Amino acid sequence: MQKVLIDHLQSKGVATLIVDPFTVRHEDQGVCDKVGSGPEVFVRGAKDVAAVRKAVAGMPDIDQKHVFLQGYSYGAIASLMASDVKNPASGTLGLAGVIAYYPYCAQDVERSVPTLVLIGDKDDWTIAENCKAVKDKPNMDVVVLPGATHGFAMPMDKPVDFQGHHIAYDEKATKDAQERADAFMAAHMK
């Protein structure tokens, strides 16, 4: 998935930087040893976003007015947390927008930048209903893709059940989501 995404974005002249939020950092198992420990696991990801944005700010070849976050599942939730107006760092990130694939949509979060959420109506892990409930908030656009599950954009040979959740690649939903993400970025690069 990463190579396909990088190739696609580079063909559009978009530089990419991929952050691995699961890296061990003086923790037994990295973020995995925090699973089930509540929102602090996502706060860690939001801090990653702030650190990466600070690093990108020093790159002269990057158009600082057109920096987007794009995340999937955990990365999407961390991106949403980083751009929440209640996060003191959100106003300093200088983001053009956020594209969040199958995130958990918290009800009390307010977006500081334009945000596109792409989620499947068959997602049984990060429920689409939670995202539909916040679709009318400022800076929030939610697209629910029919028939798509959690992880619909992750190419895999066959569906899997993981920790009681169904994950399946959906080529149609992936293409639709990519087209919407491209249009979102184009609209917010003006």
Side-chain angles (χ1 to χ4, degrees):
M1 178 174 109
Q2 287 181 355
K3 178 155 178 31
V4 171
L5 177 62
I6 291 168
D7 290 347
H8 174 78
L9 291 172
Q10 286 182 338
S11 75
K12 296 185 169 301
V14 177
T16 59
L17 175 65
I18 296 176
V19 179
D20 179 1
F22 298 104
T23 303
V24 176
R25 299 175 206 166
H26 309 292
E27 300 160 331
D28 291 340
Q29 299 173 22
V31 75
C32 295
D33 69 349
K34 295 187 182 304
V35 171
S37 62
E40 59 271 7
V41 70
F42 300 109
V43 170
R44 178 183 191 255
K47 288 178 181 178
D48 284 349
V49 168
V52 167
R53 181 60 184 107
K54 185 177 179 180
V56 170
M59 297 178 178
D61 294 343
I62 302 298
D63 180 349
Q64 300 300 319
K65 293 181 182 176
H66 297 118
V67 174
F68 291 83
L69 299 178
Q70 182 166 315
Y72 298 79
S73 192
Y74 174 87
I77 299 166
S79 296
L80 292 177
M81 287 193 80
S83 63
D84 181 359
V85 296
K86 291 184 287 304
N87 176 353
S90 72
T92 64
L93 294 177
L95 299 173
V98 173
I99 302 166
Y101 281 74
Y102 27 89
Y104 171 76
C105 295
Q107 305 305 305
D108 62 340
V109 175
E110 299 290 337
R111 307 276 48 90
S112 63
V113 297
T115 301
L116 173 62
V117 170
L118 302 159
I119 191 161
D121 71 344
K122 302 292 184 206
D123 192 326
D124 64 359
W125 204 328
T126 55
I127 311 300
E129 292 304 316
N130 291 333
C131 296
K132 286 183 194 176
V134 297
K135 70 178 177 54
D136 294 327
K137 288 191 172 195
N139 284 326
M140 189 66 131
D141 185 14
V142 175
V143 176
V144 179
L145 301 156
T149 68
H150 194 80
F152 67 80
M154 294 182 351
M156 57 182 76
D157 293 332
K158 60 183 181 176
V160 297
D161 291 313
F162 179 71
Q163 294 184 348
H165 303 283
H166 187 68
I167 301 170
Y169 175 65
D170 185 320
E171 186 174 356
K172 181 180 176 190
T174 299
K175 184 177 183 208
D176 184 11
Q178 185 62 66
E179 288 171 359
R180 291 173 185 270
D182 289 347
F184 176 83
M185 286 178 52
H188 296 286
M189 282 195 185
K190 296 178 182 175

